[in-house]
Amino acid sequence: MLAGLAASCGSVRYYSQAVWGGADVLVKRKPIDRLLESGRSRVLSAATRERLRLSQEIRDFASRELGLPDNRSYRSYADLGRPYQVWNVVAAPRLDLSPKTWCYPFAGCAAYRGYFNERAARRHGDRLADQGFDVRVGGVAAYSTLGWFADPVLNTFLDYAEADFAALIFHELAHQVVYVKDDSSFNESFATAVEVEGVRRWLRSLGRAEDLAVFERDRRRRRDLNAFLLEARAELESIYGSDDGDERKLARKAELFRALPSRYRRELVPAWRAMGDDAGGESNLGEWLSRLNNADLVAVATYNDLVPAFRALLEASGGDFRAFYAEVERLAELSREERLRELGGAAGR
């Protein structure tokens, strides 16, 4: 997840909170190797010490086996004293699935706006809702500074399941390899493809077949859910593009979203159970589906639309990450239309 450290040019208040919030993270960093020294480690809990050791094993694997940058990122630790590093605001018009974007001096334009203070994020979300947008405000455990600074391991994701812990580090490091201004879908789908294959290789290297099976089950469920949501998005696009009046479109939209939880239980849960998956978390997922709006579907698309194409590109590169990165860097130099065309070709191979 990339959250801009610099604000849009016209927002001094936003710029100030972004600079001070980012600086606070950097000031709180402490080198992990020093924290784990015998004399210093006594101030840490046993669980924290173990997770910091694990973070360094994952970090070493990332550069050695995945070709990710070998730098000081994730070699330090910061306890922010809060559950998330930033809170992101995502918005889309109520009758359109095109995301609202915000532009930053160094990072270009992105389909989200990050705040280091939850109340500030929710105030901005409320203002957008008053303007007629569908809005989602959500906490984000970490973001990438794209190599401008050494990103630390944070308390915000220290207690993640091990596969998710590794995935986050791989994902954020991938943003340091290739980042294209003004193309969130390209950037996030690329990083997601790296994280997924990275976790697979990490678990295989440790001989953890059972954990890999759990990871693959979770990935399958996520793919099924994404396909389910993309189908809903296609139906919404049809509604929004119809000749109906706005009131009728809004009514059809509300009906579609209202039906999603029951559709999920009817279409996905039986299929998962037929494959031996107990569909754990069914009630939580159904409750989440009951709260969706256009902004949520924007976020799903941003992180997943191009993942199959990037996976196909990695396979076409012989599974060699460095050759894969070189090809992605080549695509990054093309126009957005050319990138999409070539990625579509890769997915079809």
Side-chain angles (χ1 to χ4, degrees):
M1 170 63 64
L2 172 72
L5 283 183
S8 60
C9 298
S11 177
V12 174
R13 182 177 299 175
Y14 179 82
Y15 178 86
S16 297
Q17 71 86 32
V19 170
W20 286 110
D24 178 63
V25 173
L26 300 180
V27 166
K28 289 179 177 176
R29 295 176 302 180
K30 294 180 175 61
I32 290 175
D33 55 358
R34 296 187 64 188
L35 285 173
L36 292 178
E37 290 174 358
S38 59
R40 297 173 184 269
S41 66
R42 287 196 296 267
V43 303
L44 303 173
S45 70
T48 297
R49 288 196 301 272
E50 180 56 35
R51 272 311 169 100
L52 292 181
R53 290 191 185 96
L54 176 63
S55 75
Q56 298 312 279
E57 295 173 9
I58 292 169
R59 185 65 186 81
D60 291 341
F61 183 89
S63 295
R64 185 181 66 249
E65 303 295 335
L66 307 182
L68 291 167
D70 186 5
N71 55 29
R72 295 306 300 169
S73 288
Y74 305 106
R75 298 296 188 184
S76 62
Y77 172 67
D79 187 338
L80 304 182
R82 59 180 187 266
Y84 299 107
Q85 185 170 16
V86 293
W87 284 262
N88 272 359
V89 180
V90 180
R94 286 179 178 160
L95 290 174
D96 192 334
L97 288 166
S98 301
K100 177 176 173 58
T101 59
W102 291 267
C103 297
Y104 310 97
F106 303 109
C109 299
Y112 34 77
R113 187 171 175 89
Y115 286 84
F116 287 88
N117 180 279
E118 182 179 8
R119 285 188 297 177
R122 296 198 179 280
R123 283 197 300 268
H124 187 64
D126 290 343
R127 288 194 293 270
L128 289 170
D130 290 342
Q131 295 170 24
F133 287 93
D134 277 8
V135 177
R136 181 64 61 214
V137 178
V140 176
Y143 65 79
S144 172
T145 60
L146 305 181
W148 288 93
F149 303 99
D151 299 320
V153 174
L154 298 170
N155 67 294
T156 56
F157 58 89
L158 205 62
D159 62 351
Y160 276 19
E162 288 190 11
D164 294 332
F165 188 59
L168 186 147
I169 293 174
F170 298 155
H171 184 106
E172 302 306 337
L173 285 171
H175 283 311
Q176 296 185 22
V177 176
V178 179
Y179 177 81
V180 180
K181 286 187 176 183
D182 308 334
D183 199 338
S184 296
S185 183
F186 183 90
N187 297 326
E188 299 299 347
S189 293
F190 162 66
T192 297
V194 172
E195 81 170 61
V196 171
E197 183 59 23
V199 170
R200 287 190 176 117
R201 296 190 187 190
W202 178 62
L203 291 174
R204 288 191 193 110
S205 76
L206 298 174
R208 290 166 55 175
E210 290 186 10
D211 290 337
L212 180 58
V214 170
F215 177 74
E216 296 291 7
R217 181 205 68 191
D218 291 345
R219 286 301 307 171
R220 184 185 69 236
R221 290 185 64 191
R222 191 172 303 181
R223 286 194 301 271
D224 290 347
L225 180 60
N226 288 338
F228 174 80
L229 293 174
L230 292 176
E231 181 180 339
R233 189 178 69 168
E235 293 175 26
L236 285 168
E237 287 174 339
S238 177
I239 291 171
Y240 300 156
S242 72
D243 294 330
D244 289 342
D246 285 357
E247 287 189 11
R248 175 58 180 158
K249 289 179 182 179
L250 288 169
R252 293 175 65 193
K253 168 192 174 182
E255 181 180 354
L256 185 148
F257 276 118
R258 191 161 47 245
L260 283 182
S262 60
R263 283 178 57 178
Y264 149 73
R265 294 187 182 95
R266 184 174 65 251
E267 297 175 15
L268 294 187
V269 172
W272 290 339
R273 288 179 173 161
M275 291 186 290
D277 188 338
D278 64 4
E282 174 187 339
S283 60
N284 290 337
L285 189 50
E287 196 276 332
W288 176 73
L289 287 167
S290 72
R291 296 183 284 106
L292 292 192
N293 62 32
N294 285 353
D296 296 288
L297 295 183
V298 163
V300 168
T302 297
Y303 280 80
N304 296 282
D305 267 4
L306 299 177
V307 171
F310 280 113
R311 285 196 51 74
L313 195 61
L314 177 58
E315 291 176 9
S317 301
D320 184 309
F321 269 102
R322 288 175 174 81
F324 171 60
Y325 298 150
E327 184 62 13
V328 175
E329 287 172 349
R330 183 188 68 79
L331 292 175
E333 297 298 320
L334 304 177
S335 69
R336 188 172 190 277
E337 292 71 20
E338 290 172 321
R339 283 196 296 274
L340 288 173
R341 185 163 56 249
E342 291 211 22
L343 283 169
R349 289 172 188 165

